[in-house]
Amino acid sequence: MRIAVFVENALGSGGAFQQTLSMVHALQSLPDHSAVVLTPVAENVSRLQERGIEAHLYADGPWTRFTDTLGGLMPRSAQLLRLGRRLGLKQLGQSLDLRLEALKIDIAFFNARSATPLRLARHPYVFTVWDLCHRDHPEFPEVSENREFERREQVLKAVLPKAIAVIADSGIGADKIAAWYGVDRPRVHVIPFLPSAGVRQYAAGERTSSPQAVREKYGLPQDYVFYPAQMWAHKNHVYLFEALAELKARHGIRLAAALSGGDKGNKAYLQDYARQLGIADQVFFLGFVDDGEIPALYDGARALVMPSYFGPTNLPPIEAALLGCPVIYADQPTFRAQMGEAALYCDLNDPFSLAGHLHTLLDDPACAERLKAAGHALTAPLTEDLYTQKLATIFDAYALKRRRWQAREGP
């Protein structure tokens, strides 16, 4: 079978893009199947092709959206569009289903939340739900303002029932999908996060940067903690700042924080808050960091600190653990389920909880070594082979059923 993986955002979108790349590579290694990327972003095509990934553009303008909607309501409209294009009337456009037919696609794969499956009238799809945090934490502005909560609900309620399979990152997430959206639990498959290809290559000794190189480039001191996260409110950078201030006030320790990720409207507030706490010179806003430098930032850090409210799991703790960087995580049941003994857990209601863990790591090398050993044991089974096996279960099952009917007419 030929699988179309939809990548709908511009490259450089951090962990979500890295997870997409991991999925594409895993799909490409499936026996009897092949994977290509479809994207509405022109610059993505060349960047993906540079990585050896077949990629194609699809139209995402008002006209194609209209024809897709028409195709869903009037099945014969696709035949008329196809006939018109054969007659040379290219201006009639090409619906998304016709674009997939032209590329001989059998099934679509969505690795992030998307309304695009609603435009597919004749192609089945697999849909991924990495989080339901708009329901878990509706108080945060990024999931409540500008009708974002309502948009997410509309998409999920419309898309999930028709998906031939739904992928979740944890058993807890899978249970919520089944309970909240009426999806039969056996149709929800649990595939945990896989460390990005760049992190896995770095762990294997294939390195394009080093801790010393990133320290020099970004002006970082010897001792820093790393937090790769977009500047959203739910990422809770404020809590990290308060803990650094506690560490400075109570123990006289000036520990730096290296923050990678784009500004989502909260950066100016964070900069001002750091100034108010008297730690502005300890906080380094790195912006978007090249993929090749992220592993070196983990490698050189005294710890990964991740006080995020959103889950049920996150990618950075797994990547840090693979690279031997101690992890300090928010104390939530889903995070404990993800990392087990491979992390220290901080109380998000008490910044001194994090400050205490930081002091312990700096003062007790044995604690850091224990976390590193537990992290390596946790991440050892997380290989691309595991991904391949789990994805093969989904696509092999569909391929078996697909042989029960004749292929549709091509373009």
Side-chain angles (χ1 to χ4, degrees):
M1 283 199 317
R2 195 158 156 87
I3 304 164
V5 181
F6 280 77
V7 176
E8 301 184 76
N9 296 320
L11 302 186
S13 56
F17 173 64
Q18 290 300 321
Q19 192 64 19
T20 296
L21 284 181
S22 294
M23 280 288 189
V24 172
H25 287 307
L27 288 168
Q28 287 178 325
S29 65
L30 290 178
D32 305 317
H33 306 295
S34 60
V36 302
V37 169
L38 262 74
T39 176
V41 183
E43 65 183 22
N44 285 355
V45 174
S46 58
R47 296 189 66 177
L48 288 165
Q49 290 174 345
E50 289 172 1
R51 297 171 180 263
I53 297 172
E54 182 183 347
H56 302 273
L57 277 175
Y58 71 90
D60 196 37
W63 172 250
T64 52
R65 290 179 180 276
F66 170 76
T67 56
D68 288 344
T69 302
L70 186 66
L73 297 174
M74 301 173 59
R76 289 188 177 276
S77 66
Q79 298 176 19
L80 295 175
L81 285 172
R82 188 183 294 115
L83 177 60
R85 291 181 66 81
R86 284 175 175 170
L87 296 174
L89 301 176
K90 303 296 186 182
Q91 68 271 20
L92 285 178
Q94 187 176 36
S95 71
L96 190 52
D97 276 309
L98 289 181
R99 181 66 173 133
L100 296 184
E101 286 180 14
L103 294 171
K104 302 186 183 304
I105 299 300
D106 297 291
I107 186 170
F109 181 90
F110 294 88
N111 195 51
R113 186 176 55 255
S114 169
T116 302
L118 299 176
R119 298 167 56 186
L120 297 176
R122 298 188 305 283
H123 284 81
Y125 56 86
V126 174
F127 197 81
T128 305
V129 180
W130 291 127
D131 74 78
L132 296 169
C133 292
H134 67 291
R135 283 207 175 195
D136 292 328
H137 299 284
E139 62 274 19
F140 283 96
E142 48 265 41
V143 294
S144 62
E145 292 181 353
N146 302 316
R147 313 296 290 178
E148 179 63 22
F149 182 98
E150 289 77 8
R151 277 193 292 273
R152 294 190 183 196
E153 283 294 288
Q154 289 171 358
V155 168
L156 293 172
K157 288 178 179 178
V159 165
L160 291 178
K162 192 179 177 183
I164 68 163
V166 179
I167 293 175
D169 62 331
S170 68
I172 295 172
D175 291 341
K176 288 182 177 181
I177 292 168
W180 292 348
Y181 299 100
V183 180
D184 290 341
R185 183 59 179 82
R187 276 204 294 134
V188 187
H189 301 254
V190 176
I191 304 182
F193 281 128
L194 180 70
S196 71
V199 167
R200 284 181 278 128
Q201 289 166 358
Y202 189 96
E206 301 174 26
R207 303 178 178 182
T208 58
S209 187
S210 68
Q212 183 60 32
V214 293
R215 282 195 188 94
E216 292 177 358
K217 178 176 179 178
Y218 296 107
L220 297 173
Q222 183 68 26
D223 290 335
Y224 67 89
V225 295
F226 183 39
Y227 188 17
Q230 311 277 39
M231 303 296 157
W232 295 110
H234 74 264
K235 294 298 186 181
N236 203 16
H237 294 83
V238 162
Y239 177 81
L240 170 58
F241 294 177
E242 291 171 343
L244 294 179
E246 289 277 4
L247 192 65
K248 181 179 177 181
R250 298 197 184 202
H251 301 288
I253 298 174
R254 294 170 54 86
L255 183 64
L259 312 176
S260 68
D263 180 16
K264 296 299 182 179
N266 210 38
K267 182 178 177 180
Y269 172 75
L270 294 176
Q271 290 174 319
D272 185 59
Y273 200 80
R275 283 192 292 269
Q276 292 178 36
L277 293 173
I279 61 164
D281 60 340
Q282 296 170 234
V283 179
F284 295 79
F285 293 90
L286 310 185
F288 276 116
V289 172
D290 184 83
D291 293 342
E293 295 175 338
I294 291 289
L297 285 164
Y298 282 124
D299 193 14
R302 298 302 298 265
L304 167 80
V305 177
M306 188 145 198
S308 176
Y309 284 93
F310 282 14
T313 64
N314 288 282
L315 180 59
I318 291 294
E319 295 190 329
L322 177 63
L323 295 177
C325 177
V327 175
I328 305 178
Y329 214 172
D331 192 358
Q332 298 191 38
T334 57
F335 297 162
R336 284 184 176 270
Q338 181 188 13
M339 296 301 293
E341 297 298 317
L344 300 175
Y345 299 94
C346 54
D347 179 358
L348 296 187
N349 295 317
D350 180 12
F352 186 68
S353 169
L354 173 55
H357 286 322
L358 291 171
H359 184 258
T360 298
L361 281 177
L362 293 171
D363 191 55
D364 183 6
C367 178
E369 290 304 316
R370 176 180 63 79
L371 289 173
K372 290 179 182 181
H376 285 145
L378 178 72
T379 56
L382 298 179
T383 64
E384 200 165 287
D385 287 341
L386 172 67
Y387 260 54
T388 301
Q389 294 168 11
K390 289 182 175 290
L391 291 169
T393 300
I394 297 172
F395 290 101
D396 287 350
Y398 174 71
L400 179 65
K401 294 177 181 177
R402 178 64 187 81
R403 294 201 294 269
R404 272 57 181 168
W405 65 90
Q406 184 178 3
R408 296 184 182 89
E409 178 189 1

